[in-house]
Amino acid sequence: MADYQVTCTKKDGADADRRIDALAGPGWKQASIDDVICWIEKEGHTFWVEVAKKRVSVVVRQHDTGRRLKYLTTEADSFPPNNLLKLPDCP
């Protein structure tokens, strides 16, 4: 089980439902959302972002509708919206 900081994301575009397609961080290269979800659920890895000098966990949630049933977000931390969407784009 490993622990990964997320410092950038790859988003699908500037549309209203901006979806994150991939994540990356120090010491690990870009990984798809599907891979990260698998690593969290099946392998017990943890992912997190830093917000206001605090560590906020990335968690898997499930939509009731839509093509992609599972998605990533951060735990509630009083900093709306989703902290992952605030991260810069990965190079």
Side-chain angles (χ1 to χ4, degrees):
M1 176 165 48
D3 188 54
Y4 299 98
Q5 181 181 13
V6 179
T7 56
C8 67
T9 60
K10 179 180 178 189
K11 299 163 192 81
D12 69 348
D15 52 336
D17 73 340
R18 285 190 92 176
R19 193 178 81 219
I20 297 167
D21 292 331
L23 308 173
W28 60 288
K29 57 184 172 178
Q30 192 168 291
S32 74
I33 290 300
D34 293 330
D35 285 343
V36 173
I37 289 171
C38 180
W39 296 339
I40 292 171
E41 292 186 329
K42 295 183 180 166
E43 298 180 29
H45 296 309
T46 56
F47 292 80
W48 58 278
V49 297
E50 186 175 302
V51 179
K53 298 187 180 184
K54 293 183 181 179
R55 181 179 166 140
V56 180
S57 295
V58 174
V59 295
V60 178
R61 297 279 190 249
Q62 187 158 348
H63 286 290
D64 292 332
T65 60
R67 280 184 41 216
R68 180 181 295 272
L69 295 178
K70 293 184 179 179
Y71 65 98
L72 296 174
T73 189
T74 54
E75 290 181 328
D77 65 355
S78 309
F79 292 101
N82 183 340
N83 294 310
L84 293 173
L85 290 174
K86 293 182 193 176
L87 293 175
D89 292 331
C90 294

